[in-house]
Amino acid sequence: MPSIKRSPAQPRQSEDATGPATCTCILQGDPQPPALFKDGDFIIGGAFTIHYYLRTEKHTYTRQPQPLECSGSMDFRELRFARALQFAIQEINNSSDLLPGITLGYHIYDSCGSVPMAIKVSFQLANGLDFIFNNTDSCAKSAAVLALVGESGSTPSISMSRLFGPFGIPQVSHYATCACLSDKRQYPTFFRTIPSDHHQAAALARMVKHFGWTWIGAVRSDSDYGNNGMASFLKAAEEEGICVEYSEAYYRTQPRSKLKRVADVIRRSTARVIVAFLAAGDMRFLLEELSQQPPPPMQWIGSEAWVTDPEMLRFNLCIGTVGFGIPRSVIPGFRNFLLDLSPEQALKFPLLTEFWESSFSCSLKQQTGSSTGMPACDGTEDLRALQNPYTDTSQLRITNMVYKATYAIAHAIHGIVCNGKYCDKNIKFEPRQVFDQLKRVNFTKNNYSVSFDTNGDPMATYELVNWQLQGDSSVDFVTVGQYDASQPKSREFSLNRAIFWYDGSEKVPVSVCSESCTPGSRKAVQKGRPVCCYDCINCAKGEISNETDSLDCHKCLPEYWPNNEKDKCLPKPVEFLSWDEILGIILAAFSIAGSLVALSMALVLYKNRASPIVKANNSELSFLLLFSLTLCFLCSLTFIGRPTEWSCMLRHTAFGITFVLCISCVLGKTVVVLMAFRATRPGSDVKKWFGPHQQRLSVFGFTLVQFSDVTSPTGKAKGAL
């Protein structure tokens, strides 16, 4: 930020002097010119990760450090993003409907994907490029830009948003997807045209569950993007019952030993599906390491950062990859704009010069020089003949996010400076007013709607992309489904084309820790391992399970028993003595014969009931005994024929009562005989203790006890059995 120094040419004013003291505001450090810029009535900033590395310097603390500088090879795809901002502003400046009579300018910087450079870029976008400026005692002035398009990465975007927030400078990112950026308390002025990873994580977990994968590996970028995205995915996966064998993190600036360790974990894993929540640069390093010693074939599931990056298609070990990407789009006129770049235009900006020389391996300077070691460009270079991410406009996905972000800012400015078709370029306003307007923008451009919710996020819509092998042996992105967060929960995810997996077939690969337990068995979790790892235990005797992966076995009802597979209960076969069987006929004959004999004896006793011998033998007990014997014989008939509920209850109840009645009568007669012998002794009074009344009472008492037993609930249950 600027520091305040008094100009030596101006004397210090005293307190009673009239007018304020003159202050000189001086920027700390040398301002760095933008990579691409254009003057205009209002300036929009841009920040992109065109290079992935920051030049390192060993500090000696004896001299001033060198300015921060990007290094490494150029990312042509990110350059296309930056030029999309240029193209959108060119369209807006030529439009008669949006900001008519107003010229927008831009200052585009390369942040190198680095936090230190992103912070420096933020300060420059806020302060401007003027080394010295005078204004007021506080050195306060409006920001040099009204809003920012960028940054590409979540971590640099977080740093920039923390700086822009207190000053009310709105930031609209095209590629920062970290769900943490939806927190308006920490990042109040942050917007984005790309959905939050909160939705992508839920979509990935839903897809993994849809294909039945319960045992997966996970690898992520060790950054805000990877760590927050993977945390959201793991939470959603746990809710879906998915187990994770390992979860590894890597960042491209970490030691190579860390990368080798992550690669070894992937090679040794038993999970055949791996979810990679990685930035494109980190994924490239990982795949290069794995290519040296390829792991067993596995199914890759990718996040939007790399799954639609054309640079990744050269890795054959990722054929069949499936992941969610931003929907492809068409931007009319954009390809011609990209190709309409002459050597003279490229020489105006070092960034475009580097692109030209890298693409054609020649030097744009007149002399070849030893500094480049390349021949001079001869003017025959043709951008249309190039095949690289810069010229590839077949699948404009993130590019459209830049395009929409630029138009969103333009619509916000239009709402401030324009009244109808009249726009006043001399209106002075603050970035905070642009921020307020951005919250209300809602328009459609090229059939793509643009609006923001209360968190500054758009509606989440993804395409399910599959890396499919084409007829010419090339690999291409094929859209096979969609995920629309605006749909009801059960209809968010849909497939409309066949998916070709890593083995080239349409059969869904299997990735489980333990095979499913078939019906007839239950799951037993292995001690110390995730719930997805278990043993299959056969159901115990008399138990069944009729579901796959059943947690418990269930007992069959008493009248059923399990089949051999123990997956269903079958009715027990009913076996009974039939009337037409020989044994049944014999039993029925004996039963009837016995009852007739008993009845015959009773008839004889009845005819001779007046005889002394019948009277002396207690005719009441005799008749009762013969009656009970008759019933006992007849009870045998209830055990013949098909059992019914009534016959099962009657056979045991009737036989139990009649048999006890019979035994009670015999017992009574036996006691009478015993008492008769004891009563012959002189002075014995035993007879009065077991007379006829006592005999009747004993028979009734014993029979009553048996009757109570067989009619109780326990007795009925025994009878039913």
Side-chain angles (χ1 to χ4, degrees):
M1 297 295 288
S3 64
I4 303 175
K5 295 185 179 179
R6 299 200 180 266
S7 172
Q10 297 290 339
R12 183 182 179 90
Q13 291 186 345
S14 62
E15 293 182 0
D16 56 353
T18 60
T22 302
C23 296
T24 300
C25 298
I26 302 177
L27 293 176
Q28 295 296 308
D30 297 326
Q32 183 175 348
L36 301 169
F37 65 89
K38 172 183 172 61
D39 289 331
D41 300 319
F42 304 110
I43 304 298
I44 296 176
F48 302 90
T49 306
I50 301 175
H51 294 83
Y52 278 101
Y53 293 99
L54 192 66
R55 183 180 59 81
T56 58
E57 176 187 5
K58 185 176 181 180
H59 298 291
T60 61
Y61 303 101
T62 58
R63 59 180 176 81
Q64 185 177 356
Q66 294 295 316
L68 297 177
E69 184 179 346
C70 297
S71 64
S73 59
M74 176 182 289
D75 188 329
F76 292 159
R77 185 170 175 242
E78 287 281 341
L79 178 61
R80 183 186 355 121
F81 298 163
R83 299 223 67 200
L85 190 153
Q86 288 183 294
F87 174 72
I89 288 182
Q90 177 179 290
E91 275 193 344
I92 294 166
N93 290 339
N94 294 332
S95 172
S96 58
D97 297 322
L98 183 62
L99 293 174
I102 301 290
T103 300
L104 293 181
Y106 52 80
H107 287 178
I108 300 175
Y109 287 88
D110 181 3
S111 70
C112 325
S114 164
V115 170
M117 181 63 85
I119 292 176
K120 180 179 180 179
V121 167
S122 301
F123 281 134
Q124 290 202 184
L125 290 172
N127 295 325
L129 299 176
D130 296 332
F131 185 70
I132 298 176
F133 64 88
N134 293 330
N135 195 343
T136 63
D137 283 344
S138 63
C139 248
K141 72 166 189 174
S142 297
V145 297
L146 295 174
L148 169 73
V149 176
E151 213 275 338
S152 298
S154 292
T155 298
S157 292
I158 289 173
S159 302
M160 300 179 83
S161 185
R162 289 189 185 278
L163 287 173
F164 285 152
F167 301 106
I169 303 175
Q171 175 184 356
V172 187
S173 177
H174 57 284
Y175 213 1
T177 58
C178 180
C180 58
L181 286 164
S182 298
D183 187 352
K184 295 297 102 178
R185 292 175 299 178
Q186 297 190 59
Y187 315 102
T189 61
F190 182 84
F191 299 84
R192 54 184 157 200
T193 52
I194 190 170
S196 163
D197 280 336
H198 169 76
H199 300 286
Q200 182 177 198
L204 288 171
R206 191 73 54 81
M207 180 182 67
V208 170
K209 181 67 174 179
H210 175 81
F211 292 117
W213 299 321
T214 58
W215 187 240
I216 64 171
V219 61
R220 67 188 186 277
S221 291
D222 196 2
S223 62
D224 292 287
Y225 166 74
N227 293 328
N228 285 278
M230 184 57 72
S232 298
F233 168 76
L234 293 179
K235 181 180 179 182
E238 183 180 3
E239 294 174 354
E240 297 285 356
I242 301 166
C243 298
V244 179
E245 182 182 8
Y246 60 88
S247 180
E248 296 293 330
Y250 172 73
Y251 192 67
R252 58 183 176 271
T253 58
Q254 292 176 346
R256 186 173 180 81
S257 58
K258 177 69 178 295
L259 177 61
K260 291 177 67 67
R261 190 186 69 80
V262 173
D264 289 339
V265 170
I266 294 174
R267 293 187 183 104
R268 294 193 305 266
S269 70
T270 59
R272 297 272 60 83
V273 173
I274 177 171
V275 176
F277 224 107
L278 290 151
D282 301 332
M283 188 65 183
R284 188 178 301 114
F285 278 103
L286 178 60
L287 292 179
E288 288 173 352
E289 177 64 29
L290 288 173
S291 297
Q292 297 179 12
Q293 185 182 347
M298 60 177 54
Q299 180 61 46
W300 289 86
I301 307 297
S303 62
E304 97 296 335
W306 67 272
V307 79
T308 56
D309 189 345
E311 288 289 295
M312 300 296 173
L313 293 176
R314 60 189 175 93
F315 296 101
N316 290 332
L317 59 88
C318 286
I319 291 177
T321 291
V322 176
F324 288 103
I326 303 304
R328 71 168 66 189
S329 59
V330 176
I331 303 177
F334 181 56
R335 177 173 175 79
N336 292 333
F337 174 82
L338 292 176
L339 299 178
D340 187 21
L341 179 65
S342 64
E344 293 75 17
Q345 292 173 316
L347 277 171
K348 294 180 181 179
F349 301 103
L351 184 68
L352 296 180
T353 302
E354 180 187 353
F355 161 70
W356 193 277
E357 294 180 345
S358 299
S359 300
F360 298 109
S361 299
C362 65
S363 174
L364 272 177
K365 300 180 176 61
Q366 294 300 319
Q367 69 277 9
T368 58
S370 59
S371 60
T372 62
M374 295 185 297
C377 299
D378 57 10
T380 61
E381 299 81 22
D382 186 6
L383 283 176
R384 297 180 185 276
L386 286 178
Q387 291 186 351
N388 62 27
Y390 174 82
T391 60
D392 182 11
T393 58
S394 60
Q395 301 193 60
L396 298 177
R397 300 177 187 271
I398 308 304
T399 305
N400 192 41
M401 301 297 104
V402 179
Y403 188 73
K404 294 199 302 186
T406 308
Y407 265 90
I409 294 172
H411 275 270
I413 297 174
H414 184 95
I416 299 172
V417 303
C418 297
N419 184 9
K421 291 216 176 214
Y422 172 74
C423 298
D424 185 359
K425 67 175 67 176
N426 297 317
I427 290 181
K428 300 296 182 182
F429 58 94
E430 297 294 326
R432 194 172 296 278
Q433 294 174 259
V434 180
F435 163 66
D436 293 334
Q437 285 291 329
L438 272 173
K439 291 188 287 187
R440 295 189 287 270
V441 297
N442 191 347
F443 63 93
T444 300
K445 180 65 178 177
N446 294 339
N447 296 323
Y448 305 111
S449 62
V450 181
S451 62
F452 305 102
D453 62 17
T454 55
N455 294 324
D457 297 330
M459 180 58 67
T461 303
Y462 297 99
E463 287 182 351
L464 183 60
V465 178
N466 182 209
W467 291 18
Q468 293 187 5
L469 196 63
Q470 305 301 306
D472 58 355
S473 298
S474 64
V475 182
D476 198 10
F477 305 123
V478 177
T479 300
V480 296
Q482 287 84 28
Y483 182 89
D484 188 351
S486 65
Q487 296 296 320
K489 189 170 184 180
S490 59
R491 293 188 294 175
E492 294 168 325
F493 178 64
S494 62
L495 290 173
N496 51 34
R497 290 187 63 174
I499 297 177
F500 289 89
W501 306 101
Y502 66 86
D503 57 357
S505 70
E506 296 182 35
K507 183 180 179 182
V508 179
V510 177
S511 184
V512 295
C513 182
S514 300
E515 293 294 335
S516 296
C517 292
T518 59
S521 62
R522 63 177 177 84
K523 295 198 300 186
V525 177
Q526 297 174 1
K527 187 176 181 181
R529 303 202 67 189
V531 295
C532 299
C533 301
Y534 48 81
D535 297 317
C536 295
I537 309 298
N538 290 331
C539 290
K541 186 177 180 180
E543 296 182 342
I544 66 154
S545 66
N546 55 6
E547 296 178 352
T548 301
D549 289 335
S550 177
L551 296 176
D552 296 297
C553 295
H554 307 282
K555 286 185 175 295
C556 292
L557 295 174
E559 61 271 19
Y560 291 84
W561 56 16
N563 60 353
N564 292 333
E565 292 76 21
K566 295 186 177 180
D567 59 356
K568 63 175 63 175
C569 291
L570 300 177
K572 291 180 180 179
V574 180
E575 297 180 355
F576 59 91
L577 187 60
S578 176
W579 290 102
D580 53 5
E581 293 184 38
I582 296 177
L583 184 59
I585 295 172
I586 294 174
L587 179 60
F590 274 103
S591 176
I592 294 173
S595 61
L596 290 176
V597 171
L599 289 174
S600 300
M601 292 301 298
L603 183 60
V604 171
L605 287 178
Y606 180 77
K607 286 185 176 183
N608 298 282
R609 63 184 180 278
S611 61
I613 190 172
V614 173
K615 289 182 177 180
N617 200 30
N618 195 339
S619 58
E620 289 185 8
L621 286 182
S622 298
F623 281 115
L624 196 57
L625 176 60
L626 291 172
F627 174 71
S628 61
L629 283 173
T630 301
L631 292 179
C632 285
F633 279 117
L634 293 177
C635 282
S636 302
L637 299 178
T638 62
F639 290 87
I640 306 174
R642 177 178 293 276
T644 63
E645 183 178 358
W646 284 101
S647 66
C648 287
M649 290 190 298
L650 179 63
R651 63 177 56 165
H652 293 280
T653 304
F655 180 77
I657 295 174
T658 56
F659 185 73
V660 169
L661 178 61
C662 179
I663 296 300
S664 300
C665 293
V666 174
L667 178 62
K669 283 182 170 291
T670 303
V671 173
V672 169
V673 174
L674 180 62
M675 294 299 105
F677 284 102
R678 290 181 176 272
T680 57
R681 296 178 183 177
S684 175
D685 58 352
V686 174
K687 186 176 180 180
K688 69 177 183 178
W689 294 107
F690 208 76
H693 294 293
Q694 286 80 5
Q695 295 172 24
R696 297 189 196 101
L697 186 60
S698 64
V699 171
F700 177 76
F702 291 135
T703 306
L704 181 62
V705 171
Q706 177 64 14
F707 179 80
S708 302
D709 180 63
V710 298
T711 56
S712 65
T714 305
K716 288 181 179 179
K718 291 179 180 178
L721 292 173

